[in-house]
Amino acid sequence: QVRLVESGGGLVQAGDSLRLSCAASRRTISRLAMGWFRQAPGKERDFVAVIGGDGDVTLYTDSVKGRFTISRDNAKNTVALQMNNLKIEDTAVYYCAAGGLGPSKNGYEYDYWGQGTQVTVSS
């Protein structure tokens, strides 16, 4: 069992930056792919980014490429999502997820989810 707790969300203006963090309760998450997903009001939950167990593989959805960076610190059991040049359309609840099948954009391949953290970007 893995418990995930997100933090770092908030209200910012377009163009600002935020850094989301996800802390995992498990003794080690080095064998798990860690992903970030987001859900905007009235929309389905969408993939944002994922990082492989040892950090060698990262995938991003097209809309955040060049603006968001995912990273992990297996020694601290944490995963971060650095979000730069935020846009209004980035407004959503951001979820951290962990899965054992390797880096995937498919939410169904993740076994554990956090409760989410709200990111609101205003004009």
Side-chain angles (χ1 to χ4, degrees), residues 6-117:
E6 303 96 335
S7 62
L11 172 63
V12 297
Q13 292 186 325
D16 286 350
S17 297
L18 272 178
R19 184 176 179 86
L20 304 183
S21 183
C22 174
S25 64
R26 187 159 136 170
R27 186 173 179 181
T28 176
I29 58 170
S30 61
R31 295 187 178 183
L32 301 177
M34 301 296 296
W36 286 96
F37 290 75
R38 65 186 179 186
Q39 187 168 20
K43 296 187 177 180
E44 295 184 350
R45 189 159 54 187
D46 292 328
F47 166 78
V48 176
V50 61
I51 186 167
D54 56 8
D56 60 339
V57 176
T58 57
L59 301 172
Y60 298 92
T61 192
D62 286 345
S63 63
V64 308
K65 286 180 181 178
R67 300 189 298 122
F68 291 12
T69 302
I70 189 170
S71 61
R72 65 190 296 159
D73 185 338
N74 287 339
K76 297 181 179 179
N77 284 352
T78 58
V79 178
L81 185 68
Q82 177 66 42
M83 306 186 295
N84 298 329
N85 190 22
L86 282 160
K87 302 178 179 181
I88 293 175
E89 51 264 40
D90 294 319
T91 295
V93 177
Y94 283 71
Y95 297 90
C96 176
L101 296 180
S104 173
K105 298 181 179 182
N106 188 340
Y108 293 104
E109 296 186 12
Y110 290 81
D111 303 305
Y112 307 103
W113 294 83
Q115 293 300 307
T117 185

